[in-house]
Every structure is written in structure tokens, then in C-alpha cells.
């Protein structure tokens, strides 16, 4: 099994950590205050360890970015040495909030967080995925009545294959994983987040995904 570091101890990070740990992976959650994170999330699984973000990035093989997207670039650029040579799975969306706190505008129009991360971390293989759905669907795609799509974007084919394997551990069937191409394609899926606030305002926080129908 793989050692996985998850940067971000909120709902997204905790949800992914619980499912990946249950699949047998060794998981470290990296938060700003590990003791506080352990107190809040300690019931997730006995195999999960809690560390600061630098330690979680340095001590694991694959790292997942589940930090708030509007500050991810600054945070992760400071971990360049720790992330060198590793796969970075970016599941965040970089947006500026509207008045009601829901996503309003993109932080990087004409680009994407994933592209910015790849440029800032040239020694890291960045793969974008799972950013087009409510966080509960990331680890339970089977709960939706219509099979959802998980998109992949990244420059490294081997890294995308590894991430596709992790998606399988999260419950994603291979036919529901859509490889869009290189890292520039992440700007398309990140732009999909602009649909999300309108859905949430009308229907509340019910599980959904922005998916491809064939």
C-alpha cells in the first residue's frame, strides 16, 4: 500500500483520509495545528497520523492538496523541497467568495490552480481530479442515481495512471474516469465550479457532480 499525505484537515481532507485509510493506505493528515486536528478528527481511523503540513508532505509518497484553493499556491510553493519527485493530487478549486460565501469568481481566469502549482513546483507531478463534485461524492460515487465522472488532468501519464488507481480505491469505476489530457485542461474543470453555487442555492448541500453523459 501507498503512504499518502493529505494537506488540509477540513471536511474534504478528512473524508479522503478515512476512505483511503480504510482501503489500506498509510495516511498522514497535515494541518496547521496537528494536536487540534487530532482532537477533532481522531475518530476517523486508528492508522491515520496527524502532523504539520511540511512533515506530511515530506514523509509520504503521494500528496493530496485539500487546502483552500485561494491560498493553496502560496502554501504549497513553500513546500517545494518536500514535494519534489512526488505526485501531487490537486482536488481544490481556487475561487473568490460571493457575498453569501459560495464561489463567485475564479482566482486564475484563463489558467488554473493546477497549472500554477505545476509551474511553481517543476519537480512535482501535478494531477488534477475530483474538483467537480460535492466532497461526499469523492469517496462514494455510487450514491448518486446517475453515475458521476471523475476527470483527470496532468502532464505525466504514469502519474495519472497512479492517481486513477487511487480513484479506484475510492470507489470509482474505470469507465467513469475521463482523462482530459495535459495540465492545461484543468482550467476547464476548475471553471465548472462556477456552476456549483447556483446548484447549491437552489437545492442545498445535496450530493452532486458535474458529469459527462454519453
Amino acid at each position: 500500500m501507498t503512504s499518502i499525505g493529505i494537506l488540509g484537515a477540513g471536511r474534504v481532507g478528512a473524508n479522503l483520509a478515512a476512505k483511503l485509510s480504510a482501503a489500506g493506505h498509510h495516511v498522514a493528515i497535515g494541518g496547521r495545528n496537528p494536536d487540534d486536528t487530532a482532537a477533532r478528527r481522531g475518530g476517523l481511523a486508528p492508522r491515520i497520523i496527524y502532523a504539520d503540513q511540511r512533515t506530511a508532505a515530506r514523509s509520504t509518497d503521494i500528496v493530496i492538496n485539500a487546502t483552500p484553493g485561494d491560498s493553496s499556491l502560496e502554501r504549497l510553493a513553500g513546500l517545494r523541497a518536500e514535494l519534489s519527485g512526488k505526485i501531487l493530487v490537486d482536488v481544490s478549486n481556487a475561487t473568490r467568495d460571493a457575498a453569501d460565501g459560495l464561489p463567485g469568481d475564479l482566482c486564475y481566469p484563463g489558467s488554473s490552480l493546477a497549472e500554477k502549482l505545476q509551474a511553481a513546483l517543476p519537480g512535482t507531478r501535478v494531477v488534477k481530479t475530483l474538483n467537480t463534485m460535492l466532497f461526499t461524492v469523492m469517496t462514494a460515487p455510487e450514491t448518486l442515481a446517475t453515475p458521476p465522472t471523475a476527470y483527470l488532468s496532468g502532464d505525466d501519464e504514469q502519474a495519472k495512471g497512479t492517481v486513477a488507481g487511487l480513484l479506484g480505491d475510492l470507489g470509482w469505476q474505470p469507465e467513469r474516469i475521463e482523462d482530459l489530457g495535459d495540465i492545461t485542461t484543468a482550467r476547464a474543470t476548475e471553471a465548472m465550479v462556477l456552476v456549483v453555487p447556483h446548484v447549491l442555492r437552489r437545492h442545498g448541500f445535496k450530493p452532486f457532480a458535474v458529469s459527462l453523459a454519453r
Side-chain angles (χ1 to χ4, degrees):
M1 289 291 123
T2 305
S3 63
I4 301 172
I6 299 178
L7 307 183
R11 294 179 300 178
V12 175
N15 188 45
L16 290 168
K19 187 65 176 280
L20 290 168
S21 177
H25 296 287
H26 302 287
V27 177
I29 296 180
R32 290 183 171 180
N33 188 327
D35 291 337
D36 179 63
T37 301
R40 289 185 295 112
R41 305 294 188 187
L44 288 176
R47 289 191 302 274
I48 295 174
I49 64 172
Y50 302 89
D52 61 85
Q53 293 185 352
R54 191 172 300 278
T55 300
R58 182 179 60 245
S59 62
T60 54
D61 299 319
I62 296 174
V63 179
I64 298 175
N65 173 38
T67 65
D70 61 347
S71 60
S72 289
L73 182 58
E74 180 180 1
R75 293 176 193 232
L76 272 64
L79 301 175
R80 183 170 178 171
E82 288 79 6
L83 293 170
S84 181
K86 299 185 178 183
I87 296 173
L88 175 65
V89 186
D90 178 30
V91 304
S92 295
N93 286 304
T95 59
R96 296 183 179 90
D97 288 347
D100 61 1
L102 293 175
D105 294 303
L106 300 175
C107 290
Y108 308 113
S111 185
S112 64
L113 172 59
E115 290 172 82
K116 296 292 186 182
L117 288 171
Q118 187 62 85
L121 303 166
T124 302
R125 295 173 289 168
V126 178
V127 178
K128 188 81 180 190
T129 193
L130 295 180
N131 62 306
T132 55
M133 62 201 69
L134 197 65
F135 74 96
T136 57
V137 180
M138 293 179 177
T139 59
E142 72 282 356
T143 59
L144 296 187
T146 303
T149 305
Y151 304 98
L152 287 176
S153 298
D155 292 336
D156 189 287
E157 296 299 322
Q158 185 178 18
K160 286 191 288 186
T162 298
V163 174
L166 289 182
L167 292 179
D169 291 338
L170 293 174
W172 291 88
Q173 298 299 316
E175 63 271 17
R176 302 308 306 175
I177 301 173
E178 188 75 21
D179 186 345
L180 297 179
D182 66 25
I183 200 66
T184 65
T185 65
R187 68 183 64 177
T189 59
E190 290 191 27
M192 290 179 184
V193 76
L194 297 180
V195 174
V196 171
H198 306 297
V199 174
L200 296 181
R201 290 184 188 111
R202 289 180 62 84
H203 302 287
F205 282 82
K206 297 179 181 179
F208 76 94
V210 183
S211 298
L212 181 64
R214 286 195 173 100

